[in-house]
PDB file of all heavy atoms in Angstrom:
ATOM      1  N   THR A   7       0.858  -1.176  -0.022  1.00 98.00           N
ATOM      2  CA  THR A   7      -0.034   0.024  -0.042  1.00 98.00           C
ATOM      3  C   THR A   7       0.851   1.274  -0.010  1.00 98.00           C
ATOM      4  O   THR A   7       0.631   2.205  -0.739  1.00 98.00           O
ATOM      5  CB  THR A   7      -0.923   0.072   1.220  1.00 98.00           C
ATOM      6  OG1 THR A   7      -1.742  -1.145   1.200  1.00 98.00           O
ATOM      7  CG2 THR A   7      -1.836   1.199   1.162  1.00 98.00           C
ATOM      8  N   THR A   8       1.926   1.290   0.852  1.00 98.00           N
ATOM      9  CA  THR A   8       2.848   2.428   0.836  1.00 98.00           C
ATOM     10  C   THR A   8       3.487   2.602  -0.484  1.00 98.00           C
ATOM     11  O   THR A   8       3.615   3.738  -0.999  1.00 98.00           O
ATOM     12  CB  THR A   8       3.891   2.194   1.899  1.00 98.00           C
ATOM     13  OG1 THR A   8       3.270   2.063   3.197  1.00 98.00           O
ATOM     14  CG2 THR A   8       4.865   3.390   2.037  1.00 98.00           C
ATOM     15  N   ALA A   9       3.875   1.537  -1.184  1.00 98.00           N
ATOM     16  CA  ALA A   9       4.571   1.561  -2.403  1.00 98.00           C
ATOM     17  C   ALA A   9       3.612   2.211  -3.477  1.00 98.00           C
ATOM     18  O   ALA A   9       4.023   3.073  -4.282  1.00 98.00           O
ATOM     19  CB  ALA A   9       5.052   0.221  -2.902  1.00 98.00           C
ATOM     20  N   LEU A  10       2.275   1.769  -3.519  1.00 98.00           N
ATOM     21  CA  LEU A  10       1.465   2.296  -4.429  1.00 98.00           C
ATOM     22  C   LEU A  10       1.026   3.727  -4.257  1.00 98.00           C
ATOM     23  O   LEU A  10       1.003   4.527  -5.128  1.00 98.00           O
ATOM     24  CB  LEU A  10       0.115   1.409  -4.446  1.00 98.00           C
ATOM     25  CG  LEU A  10      -0.856   1.634  -5.618  1.00 98.00           C
ATOM     26  CD1 LEU A  10      -0.228   1.485  -6.960  1.00 98.00           C
ATOM     27  CD2 LEU A  10      -2.120   0.762  -5.478  1.00 98.00           C
ATOM     28  N   LYS A  11       1.022   4.107  -3.026  1.00 98.00           N
ATOM     29  CA  LYS A  11       0.644   5.466  -2.623  1.00 98.00           C
ATOM     30  C   LYS A  11       1.920   6.344  -3.030  1.00 98.00           C
ATOM     31  O   LYS A  11       1.688   7.512  -3.505  1.00 98.00           O
ATOM     32  CB  LYS A  11       0.421   5.691  -1.071  1.00 98.00           C
ATOM     33  CG  LYS A  11      -0.905   5.149  -0.644  1.00 98.00           C
ATOM     34  CD  LYS A  11      -1.119   5.325   0.883  1.00 98.00           C
ATOM     35  CE  LYS A  11      -2.404   4.919   1.327  1.00 98.00           C
ATOM     36  NZ  LYS A  11      -2.620   5.046   2.708  1.00 98.00           N
ATOM     37  N   ALA A  12       3.106   5.860  -2.954  1.00 98.00           N
ATOM     38  CA  ALA A  12       4.234   6.588  -3.357  1.00 98.00           C
ATOM     39  C   ALA A  12       4.269   6.851  -4.779  1.00 98.00           C
ATOM     40  O   ALA A  12       4.662   7.946  -5.306  1.00 98.00           O
ATOM     41  CB  ALA A  12       5.525   5.921  -2.910  1.00 98.00           C
ATOM     42  N   THR A  13       3.737   5.865  -5.667  1.00 98.00           N
ATOM     43  CA  THR A  13       3.742   6.018  -7.039  1.00 98.00           C
ATOM     44  C   THR A  13       2.660   7.047  -7.391  1.00 98.00           C
ATOM     45  O   THR A  13       2.945   7.950  -8.201  1.00 98.00           O
ATOM     46  CB  THR A  13       3.276   4.631  -7.670  1.00 98.00           C
ATOM     47  OG1 THR A  13       4.162   3.653  -7.320  1.00 98.00           O
ATOM     48  CG2 THR A  13       3.297   4.821  -9.244  1.00 98.00           C
ATOM     49  N   GLU A  14       1.552   7.076  -6.728  1.00 98.00           N
ATOM     50  CA  GLU A  14       0.517   7.994  -6.968  1.00 98.00           C
ATOM     51  C   GLU A  14       1.053   9.435  -6.621  1.00 98.00           C
ATOM     52  O   GLU A  14       0.838  10.398  -7.293  1.00 98.00           O
ATOM     53  CB  GLU A  14      -0.653   7.772  -6.173  1.00 98.00           C
ATOM     54  CG  GLU A  14      -1.824   8.719  -6.226  1.00 98.00           C
ATOM     55  CD  GLU A  14      -3.071   8.412  -5.383  1.00 98.00           C
ATOM     56  OE1 GLU A  14      -2.801   8.132  -4.226  1.00 98.00           O
ATOM     57  OE2 GLU A  14      -4.222   8.569  -5.797  1.00 98.00           O
ATOM     58  N   GLN A  15       1.776   9.522  -5.497  1.00 98.00           N
ATOM     59  CA  GLN A  15       2.338  10.796  -5.018  1.00 98.00           C
ATOM     60  C   GLN A  15       3.256  11.361  -6.098  1.00 98.00           C
ATOM     61  O   GLN A  15       3.168  12.585  -6.356  1.00 98.00           O
ATOM     62  CB  GLN A  15       3.003  10.633  -3.735  1.00 98.00           C
ATOM     63  CG  GLN A  15       3.789  11.912  -3.264  1.00 98.00           C
ATOM     64  CD  GLN A  15       4.802  11.624  -2.077  1.00 98.00           C
ATOM     65  OE1 GLN A  15       5.000  10.509  -1.697  1.00 98.00           O
ATOM     66  NE2 GLN A  15       5.344  12.655  -1.507  1.00 98.00           N
ATOM     67  N   LEU A  16       4.148  10.539  -6.679  1.00 98.00           N
ATOM     68  CA  LEU A  16       5.057  11.008  -7.655  1.00 98.00           C
ATOM     69  C   LEU A  16       4.282  11.523  -8.866  1.00 98.00           C
ATOM     70  O   LEU A  16       4.598  12.560  -9.423  1.00 98.00           O
ATOM     71  CB  LEU A  16       6.028   9.911  -8.106  1.00 98.00           C
ATOM     72  CG  LEU A  16       6.937  10.163  -9.294  1.00 98.00           C
ATOM     73  CD1 LEU A  16       7.778  11.467  -9.050  1.00 98.00           C
ATOM     74  CD2 LEU A  16       7.784   9.003  -9.625  1.00 98.00           C
ATOM     75  N   TYR A  17       3.275  10.675  -9.309  1.00 98.00           N
ATOM     76  CA  TYR A  17       2.476  11.077 -10.517  1.00 98.00           C
ATOM     77  C   TYR A  17       1.831  12.466 -10.250  1.00 98.00           C
ATOM     78  O   TYR A  17       1.845  13.314 -11.115  1.00 98.00           O
ATOM     79  CB  TYR A  17       1.454  10.055 -10.737  1.00 98.00           C
ATOM     80  CG  TYR A  17       0.495  10.455 -11.835  1.00 98.00           C
ATOM     81  CD1 TYR A  17       0.885  10.442 -13.186  1.00 98.00           C
ATOM     82  CD2 TYR A  17      -0.809  11.003 -11.544  1.00 98.00           C
ATOM     83  CE1 TYR A  17       0.026  10.875 -14.210  1.00 98.00           C
ATOM     84  CE2 TYR A  17      -1.697  11.375 -12.530  1.00 98.00           C
ATOM     85  CZ  TYR A  17      -1.257  11.283 -13.920  1.00 98.00           C
ATOM     86  OH  TYR A  17      -2.087  11.684 -14.865  1.00 98.00           O
ATOM     87  N   LEU A  18       1.356  12.699  -9.016  1.00 98.00           N
ATOM     88  CA  LEU A  18       0.589  13.895  -8.723  1.00 98.00           C
ATOM     89  C   LEU A  18       1.484  15.121  -8.378  1.00 98.00           C
ATOM     90  O   LEU A  18       1.079  16.199  -8.269  1.00 98.00           O
ATOM     91  CB  LEU A  18      -0.361  13.679  -7.594  1.00 98.00           C
ATOM     92  CG  LEU A  18      -1.550  12.761  -7.803  1.00 98.00           C
ATOM     93  CD1 LEU A  18      -2.302  12.534  -6.543  1.00 98.00           C
ATOM     94  CD2 LEU A  18      -2.389  13.352  -8.908  1.00 98.00           C
ATOM     95  N   GLY A  19       2.780  14.804  -8.109  1.00 98.00           N
ATOM     96  CA  GLY A  19       3.710  15.846  -7.711  1.00 98.00           C
ATOM     97  C   GLY A  19       3.420  16.395  -6.258  1.00 98.00           C
ATOM     98  O   GLY A  19       3.718  17.519  -6.054  1.00 98.00           O
ATOM     99  N   LYS A  20       2.893  15.561  -5.461  1.00 98.00           N
ATOM    100  CA  LYS A  20       2.620  15.985  -4.104  1.00 98.00           C
ATOM    101  C   LYS A  20       3.799  15.781  -3.149  1.00 98.00           C
ATOM    102  O   LYS A  20       4.479  14.852  -3.227  1.00 98.00           O
ATOM    103  CB  LYS A  20       1.364  15.187  -3.514  1.00 98.00           C
ATOM    104  CG  LYS A  20       0.010  15.619  -3.970  1.00 98.00           C
ATOM    105  CD  LYS A  20      -1.061  14.944  -3.173  1.00 98.00           C
ATOM    106  CE  LYS A  20      -2.423  15.438  -3.597  1.00 98.00           C
ATOM    107  NZ  LYS A  20      -3.529  14.806  -2.783  1.00 98.00           N
ATOM    108  N   SER A  21       4.032  16.846  -2.351  1.00 96.00           N
ATOM    109  CA  SER A  21       5.134  16.821  -1.445  1.00 96.00           C
ATOM    110  C   SER A  21       4.829  15.740  -0.317  1.00 96.00           C
ATOM    111  O   SER A  21       3.712  15.273  -0.198  1.00 96.00           O
ATOM    112  CB  SER A  21       5.302  18.162  -0.803  1.00 96.00           C
ATOM    113  OG  SER A  21       4.278  18.454   0.148  1.00 96.00           O
ATOM    114  N   ASN A  22       5.903  15.450   0.415  1.00 92.00           N
ATOM    115  CA  ASN A  22       5.712  14.418   1.506  1.00 92.00           C
ATOM    116  C   ASN A  22       4.713  14.991   2.561  1.00 92.00           C
ATOM    117  O   ASN A  22       4.186  14.226   3.327  1.00 92.00           O
ATOM    118  CB  ASN A  22       7.047  14.126   2.165  1.00 92.00           C
ATOM    119  CG  ASN A  22       7.847  13.099   1.265  1.00 92.00           C
ATOM    120  OD1 ASN A  22       7.477  12.892   0.170  1.00 92.00           O
ATOM    121  ND2 ASN A  22       9.018  12.737   1.709  1.00 92.00           N
ATOM    122  N   ALA A  23       4.566  16.324   2.586  1.00 91.00           N
ATOM    123  CA  ALA A  23       3.602  17.020   3.509  1.00 91.00           C
ATOM    124  C   ALA A  23       2.266  17.015   2.888  1.00 91.00           C
ATOM    125  O   ALA A  23       1.288  17.580   3.479  1.00 91.00           O
ATOM    126  CB  ALA A  23       4.110  18.395   3.869  1.00 91.00           C
ATOM    127  N   GLY A  24       2.038  16.573   1.672  1.00 93.00           N
ATOM    128  CA  GLY A  24       0.724  16.480   1.083  1.00 93.00           C
ATOM    129  C   GLY A  24       0.379  17.788   0.213  1.00 93.00           C
ATOM    130  O   GLY A  24      -0.779  17.951  -0.163  1.00 93.00           O
ATOM    131  N   VAL A  25       1.312  18.659   0.011  1.00 96.00           N
ATOM    132  CA  VAL A  25       1.056  19.882  -0.799  1.00 96.00           C
ATOM    133  C   VAL A  25       1.221  19.496  -2.268  1.00 96.00           C
ATOM    134  O   VAL A  25       2.207  18.914  -2.681  1.00 96.00           O
ATOM    135  CB  VAL A  25       2.093  20.958  -0.362  1.00 96.00           C
ATOM    136  CG1 VAL A  25       1.856  22.247  -1.260  1.00 96.00           C
ATOM    137  CG2 VAL A  25       2.021  21.303   1.028  1.00 96.00           C
ATOM    138  N   ASP A  26       0.143  19.863  -3.010  1.00 96.00           N
ATOM    139  CA  ASP A  26       0.126  19.564  -4.442  1.00 96.00           C
ATOM    140  C   ASP A  26       0.991  20.571  -5.257  1.00 96.00           C
ATOM    141  O   ASP A  26       0.853  21.752  -5.120  1.00 96.00           O
ATOM    142  CB  ASP A  26      -1.340  19.680  -4.889  1.00 96.00           C
ATOM    143  CG  ASP A  26      -1.552  19.001  -6.283  1.00 96.00           C
ATOM    144  OD1 ASP A  26      -0.585  18.356  -6.755  1.00 96.00           O
ATOM    145  OD2 ASP A  26      -2.590  19.295  -6.907  1.00 96.00           O
ATOM    146  N   GLY A  27       1.935  19.929  -5.990  1.00 97.00           N
ATOM    147  CA  GLY A  27       2.763  20.737  -6.819  1.00 97.00           C
ATOM    148  C   GLY A  27       2.720  20.192  -8.216  1.00 97.00           C
ATOM    149  O   GLY A  27       1.992  19.284  -8.554  1.00 97.00           O
ATOM    150  N   LEU A  28       3.632  20.705  -9.146  1.00 98.00           N
ATOM    151  CA  LEU A  28       3.632  20.239 -10.502  1.00 98.00           C
ATOM    152  C   LEU A  28       4.146  18.869 -10.591  1.00 98.00           C
ATOM    153  O   LEU A  28       5.101  18.440  -9.996  1.00 98.00           O
ATOM    154  CB  LEU A  28       4.546  21.097 -11.374  1.00 98.00           C
ATOM    155  CG  LEU A  28       4.079  22.479 -11.774  1.00 98.00           C
ATOM    156  CD1 LEU A  28       5.171  23.208 -12.464  1.00 98.00           C
ATOM    157  CD2 LEU A  28       2.833  22.441 -12.596  1.00 98.00           C
ATOM    158  N   GLY A  29       3.414  18.011 -11.269  1.00 98.00           N
ATOM    159  CA  GLY A  29       3.682  16.604 -11.466  1.00 98.00           C
ATOM    160  C   GLY A  29       3.358  16.105 -12.766  1.00 98.00           C
ATOM    161  O   GLY A  29       2.931  16.863 -13.730  1.00 98.00           O
ATOM    162  N   LEU A  30       3.398  14.833 -13.084  1.00 98.00           N
ATOM    163  CA  LEU A  30       3.049  14.283 -14.382  1.00 98.00           C
ATOM    164  C   LEU A  30       1.617  14.510 -14.701  1.00 98.00           C
ATOM    165  O   LEU A  30       1.238  14.556 -15.919  1.00 98.00           O
ATOM    166  CB  LEU A  30       3.432  12.744 -14.433  1.00 98.00           C
ATOM    167  CG  LEU A  30       4.897  12.409 -14.269  1.00 98.00           C
ATOM    168  CD1 LEU A  30       5.108  10.953 -14.016  1.00 98.00           C
ATOM    169  CD2 LEU A  30       5.620  12.836 -15.489  1.00 98.00           C
ATOM    170  N   ASP A  31       0.779  14.599 -13.671  1.00 98.00           N
ATOM    171  CA  ASP A  31      -0.637  14.876 -13.924  1.00 98.00           C
ATOM    172  C   ASP A  31      -0.786  16.179 -14.638  1.00 98.00           C
ATOM    173  O   ASP A  31      -1.656  16.313 -15.582  1.00 98.00           O
ATOM    174  CB  ASP A  31      -1.444  14.804 -12.610  1.00 98.00           C
ATOM    175  CG  ASP A  31      -1.028  15.792 -11.579  1.00 98.00           C
ATOM    176  OD1 ASP A  31       0.157  16.083 -11.551  1.00 98.00           O
ATOM    177  OD2 ASP A  31      -1.829  16.330 -10.890  1.00 98.00           O
ATOM    178  N   ASP A  32      -0.103  17.206 -14.145  1.00 98.00           N
ATOM    179  CA  ASP A  32      -0.177  18.529 -14.818  1.00 98.00           C
ATOM    180  C   ASP A  32       0.381  18.537 -16.198  1.00 98.00           C
ATOM    181  O   ASP A  32      -0.216  19.171 -17.062  1.00 98.00           O
ATOM    182  CB  ASP A  32       0.605  19.538 -13.959  1.00 98.00           C
ATOM    183  CG  ASP A  32      -0.004  19.633 -12.554  1.00 98.00           C
ATOM    184  OD1 ASP A  32      -1.158  20.131 -12.396  1.00 98.00           O
ATOM    185  OD2 ASP A  32       0.735  19.182 -11.608  1.00 98.00           O
ATOM    186  N   TYR A  33       1.449  17.766 -16.384  1.00 97.00           N
ATOM    187  CA  TYR A  33       2.021  17.608 -17.747  1.00 97.00           C
ATOM    188  C   TYR A  33       1.039  17.010 -18.672  1.00 97.00           C
ATOM    189  O   TYR A  33       0.813  17.536 -19.812  1.00 97.00           O
ATOM    190  CB  TYR A  33       3.286  16.810 -17.668  1.00 97.00           C
ATOM    191  CG  TYR A  33       4.362  17.000 -18.741  1.00 97.00           C
ATOM    192  CD1 TYR A  33       5.673  16.639 -18.518  1.00 97.00           C
ATOM    193  CD2 TYR A  33       3.993  17.567 -19.977  1.00 97.00           C
ATOM    194  CE1 TYR A  33       6.557  16.695 -19.477  1.00 97.00           C
ATOM    195  CE2 TYR A  33       4.977  17.754 -20.929  1.00 97.00           C
ATOM    196  CZ  TYR A  33       6.233  17.301 -20.725  1.00 97.00           C
ATOM    197  OH  TYR A  33       7.248  17.445 -21.622  1.00 97.00           O
ATOM    198  N   LEU A  34       0.414  15.956 -18.267  1.00 96.00           N
ATOM    199  CA  LEU A  34      -0.583  15.327 -19.121  1.00 96.00           C
ATOM    200  C   LEU A  34      -1.866  16.182 -19.399  1.00 96.00           C
ATOM    201  O   LEU A  34      -2.330  16.280 -20.487  1.00 96.00           O
ATOM    202  CB  LEU A  34      -1.058  13.984 -18.471  1.00 96.00           C
ATOM    203  CG  LEU A  34      -0.303  12.722 -18.849  1.00 96.00           C
ATOM    204  CD1 LEU A  34      -0.978  11.524 -18.208  1.00 96.00           C
ATOM    205  CD2 LEU A  34      -0.195  12.521 -20.323  1.00 96.00           C
ATOM    206  N   ALA A  35      -2.303  16.788 -18.368  1.00 95.00           N
ATOM    207  CA  ALA A  35      -3.396  17.756 -18.454  1.00 95.00           C
ATOM    208  C   ALA A  35      -3.141  18.820 -19.500  1.00 95.00           C
ATOM    209  O   ALA A  35      -3.951  19.247 -20.236  1.00 95.00           O
ATOM    210  CB  ALA A  35      -3.834  18.304 -17.115  1.00 95.00           C
ATOM    211  N   ALA A  36      -1.907  19.329 -19.527  1.00 95.00           N
ATOM    212  CA  ALA A  36      -1.516  20.404 -20.428  1.00 95.00           C
ATOM    213  C   ALA A  36      -1.592  19.984 -21.839  1.00 95.00           C
ATOM    214  O   ALA A  36      -1.826  20.819 -22.780  1.00 95.00           O
ATOM    215  CB  ALA A  36      -0.064  20.918 -20.059  1.00 95.00           C
ATOM    216  N   THR A  37      -1.382  18.696 -22.139  1.00 94.00           N
ATOM    217  CA  THR A  37      -1.502  18.188 -23.467  1.00 94.00           C
ATOM    218  C   THR A  37      -2.900  17.886 -23.961  1.00 94.00           C
ATOM    219  O   THR A  37      -3.260  17.855 -25.077  1.00 94.00           O
ATOM    220  CB  THR A  37      -0.842  16.780 -23.541  1.00 94.00           C
ATOM    221  OG1 THR A  37      -1.573  15.761 -22.871  1.00 94.00           O
ATOM    222  CG2 THR A  37       0.588  16.893 -23.031  1.00 94.00           C
ATOM    223  N   GLY A  38      -3.831  17.882 -22.959  1.00 94.00           N
ATOM    224  CA  GLY A  38      -5.273  17.581 -23.264  1.00 94.00           C
ATOM    225  C   GLY A  38      -5.486  16.199 -23.780  1.00 94.00           C
ATOM    226  O   GLY A  38      -6.525  15.910 -24.369  1.00 94.00           O
TER     227      GLY A  38
END
């Protein structure tokens, strides 16, 4: 579970404190 959450965290660009930053999700969203 921790491993999968870490993958999701990297994809979303969320800090270890839970702050949302630029991630692969934003990159994909920018492509439409």
Side-chain angles (χ1 to χ4, degrees):
T7 302
T8 302
L10 190 57
K11 286 181 177 178
T13 305
E14 181 185 40
Q15 177 193 4
L16 172 59
Y17 174 76
L18 295 174
K20 280 191 176 181
S21 72
N22 284 5
V25 178
D26 192 12
L28 282 179
L30 294 170
D31 62 325
D32 300 291
Y33 203 161
L34 269 185
T37 70

